[in-house]
Amino acid sequence: MQLSTYRFSVLVSIVFISGFAQGMLLPLIAVIFEQNGTSASLNGFHATALYIGILIASPFIEKPLRKFGYKPLIMLGLLAVILCFSLFPIWKVFWFWFVLRLLIGIGDHMLHFSTQTWITSNSPENKRGRNISLYGIAFGAGFGIGPLMTKMLEVNENLPFWLAAGLCLISFILMTSIRNEKPETESARMAGVTAFSRYKDVFKIAWVSLLPPFAYGFLEATLHGSFPVFALRNDISLDWVAVLLPAFVLGSLVFQLPLGVLSDKYGRKPILIFSFVSGFFSFLATYWTMHSFWVLLALFFFSGMFVGSMFSLGIAYMSDLLPKYHLPAGNILAGISFSIGSMSGPLIGGSFISWFKGGAFVFAICGMLFILCLPILFTKSRTSADAVQTKTA
């Protein structure tokens, strides 16, 4: 069954609001904790809660989706997010907010996994790429607008949480008008294969393609979770932060389609290496331009252009390497890789800010880009046909 225009619009709007909530939450709490004297390391640790929630939910989400369908899981995820955002202003305690962030991660993963599977399963083949692109752009646009809400702290500290809860409530109401569906039943070919065996095969064949999603998760969470702390400690105003972070996201949105087209023409690996190398030099240049707003703004935009498409390029690279029957497991592992990168980013970034002075934060990002680029550069790629031959040999 194909997606109706109305249903697709509702699902995309939910993804936009989810991206908005996530993009707002990372810098918002980082700024609140920094202003209250919380250490950068603890601040970074706190930012991992959302991604811990995603990892906790990942092994258990497929079975209820098949049993109950898409709509109940999306609505349950939205309900969890609404409740958590409503509770933030009630009790401003480090560990209470950590638990709320973790629960938001679980709720967000429920609605993301469900909407993504619903769109990919029911989109016609000639529109599938377009629909997924719109899905990704909606999340990225919401994530880019979210950090602007840090300005609301000057009005009322609780206002951003109430706004996020209200927008998610609107999404919940819209979902009530959509008829539920369930995914297709598992094929006979894969019915007797354990999940662990599928994941093992995917990792063996296409482990290198999991590095770009890890890199994007690391960069996204580090910039939104640790950069506000770094900025405040280096006399970079909060007004700058509220513009620089959206500039990075805007760059990733603008150049996502061109990079995808170039990867179709010249191959995923060369474009990925180009993105890593260009991103490395773009971030490195920020070390010498920290107090020049317009130059820094341009560098953040260029950095987004080069590294903002790493998740989608990694997924495409993985699709080149894997047989089709392994793609579902591959997508799950890519999501887990992204989450691990998102968890480690604020921890490493926050630790560098605490341990070192000056531009250590920049070197943490550049060092990670350099390390992750090396395996892609030197690992010999195999096509999905090669993978099938290896499997049947």
Side-chain angles (χ1 to χ4, degrees):
M1 185 176 291
Q2 295 185 9
L3 286 168
S4 67
T5 303
Y6 174 73
R7 181 186 298 164
F8 178 72
S9 301
V10 171
L11 295 178
V12 168
S13 68
I14 290 172
V15 172
F16 171 83
I17 291 172
S18 174
F20 171 85
Q22 284 192 35
M24 179 200 76
L25 198 61
L26 281 167
L28 182 71
I29 293 183
V31 169
I32 291 173
F33 280 164
E34 174 66 13
Q35 291 176 344
N36 284 274
T38 304
S39 73
S41 297
L42 281 176
N43 212 330
F45 167 73
H46 201 279
T48 66
L50 186 139
Y51 304 103
I52 293 173
I54 292 175
L55 290 178
I56 290 173
S58 293
F60 308 105
I61 199 168
E62 185 178 0
K63 190 172 181 180
L65 179 70
R66 292 188 179 278
K67 183 175 181 180
F68 300 109
Y70 304 107
K71 180 178 175 179
L73 259 70
I74 294 173
M75 296 187 72
L76 184 60
L78 283 169
L79 195 60
V81 172
I82 293 168
L83 181 62
C84 290
F85 272 117
S86 301
L87 290 175
F88 271 104
I90 302 298
W91 195 23
K92 188 178 174 182
V93 176
F94 184 91
W95 288 109
F96 180 66
W97 278 21
F98 185 89
V99 172
L100 291 180
R101 275 180 122 168
L102 187 145
L103 293 175
I104 286 176
I106 293 174
D108 257 342
H109 191 54
M110 291 173 68
L111 67 91
H112 272 295
F113 183 78
S114 302
T115 52
Q116 185 173 317
T117 307
W118 205 345
I119 290 173
T120 54
S121 298
N122 292 350
S123 294
E125 189 173 349
N126 63 331
K127 292 184 178 180
R128 189 171 297 151
R130 164 189 169 274
N131 287 352
I132 291 300
S133 296
L134 290 173
Y135 175 95
I137 290 171
F139 181 82
F143 203 93
I145 294 172
L148 295 173
M149 299 304 106
T150 54
K151 290 290 292 179
M152 288 187 176
L153 290 174
E154 299 173 2
V155 180
N156 188 302
E157 190 176 272
N158 298 326
L159 190 56
F161 299 113
W162 293 334
L163 176 63
L167 290 174
C168 291
L169 179 60
I170 293 173
S171 298
F172 184 86
I173 293 171
L174 288 173
M175 273 304 302
T176 60
S177 63
I178 294 181
R179 184 170 59 87
N180 186 34
E181 289 182 1
K182 295 182 179 181
E184 294 181 8
T185 56
E186 198 170 21
S187 66
R189 177 185 184 124
M190 299 303 296
V193 180
T194 64
F196 178 78
S197 297
R198 290 197 296 269
Y199 297 154
K200 183 179 177 182
D201 289 341
V202 168
F203 191 80
K204 182 179 179 181
I205 297 169
W207 66 272
V208 72
S209 68
L210 302 178
L211 298 179
F214 176 92
Y216 183 70
F218 179 91
L219 290 167
E220 185 184 68
T222 304
L223 287 176
H224 286 80
S226 295
F227 180 72
V229 177
F230 172 79
L232 291 174
R233 294 192 178 188
N234 287 270
D235 300 321
I236 299 174
S237 73
L238 198 59
D239 292 337
W240 284 28
V241 175
V243 177
L244 291 173
L245 294 181
F248 173 84
V249 178
L250 180 62
S252 69
L253 294 177
V254 168
F255 219 55
Q256 192 158 154
L257 184 59
L259 275 180
V261 173
L262 288 172
S263 73
D264 287 335
K265 185 174 182 179
Y266 298 108
R268 317 292 179 203
K269 184 174 177 178
I271 300 303
L272 275 169
I273 294 171
F274 167 77
S275 297
F276 271 98
V277 172
S278 302
F280 173 88
F281 284 110
S282 296
F283 276 113
L284 186 63
T286 64
Y287 176 75
W288 294 282
T289 59
M290 277 298 169
H291 298 287
S292 177
F293 174 74
W294 292 108
V295 177
L296 199 59
L297 182 68
L299 288 173
F300 265 69
F301 180 80
F302 290 143
S303 300
M305 287 173 55
F306 297 129
V307 304
S309 299
M310 282 187 176
F311 185 88
S312 57
L313 285 174
I315 296 296
Y317 191 26
M318 179 191 67
S319 301
D320 294 340
L321 300 176
L322 288 176
K324 285 187 177 181
Y325 54 83
H326 272 325
L327 289 180
N331 278 283
I332 291 175
L333 286 183
I336 292 174
S337 179
F338 169 81
S339 299
I340 294 173
S342 301
M343 288 171 57
S344 61
L347 279 174
I348 295 174
S351 298
F352 267 66
I353 293 171
S354 294
W355 296 341
F356 308 104
K357 295 181 180 180
F361 174 79
V362 175
F363 297 141
I365 292 178
C366 292
M368 187 60 69
L369 287 172
F370 178 78
I371 292 170
L372 294 177
C373 183
L374 291 179
I376 299 173
L377 181 63
F378 293 110
T379 300
K380 185 178 179 181
S381 302
R382 298 189 300 174
T383 65
S384 59
D386 295 330
V388 172
Q389 291 175 4
T390 301
K391 186 74 178 170
T392 56

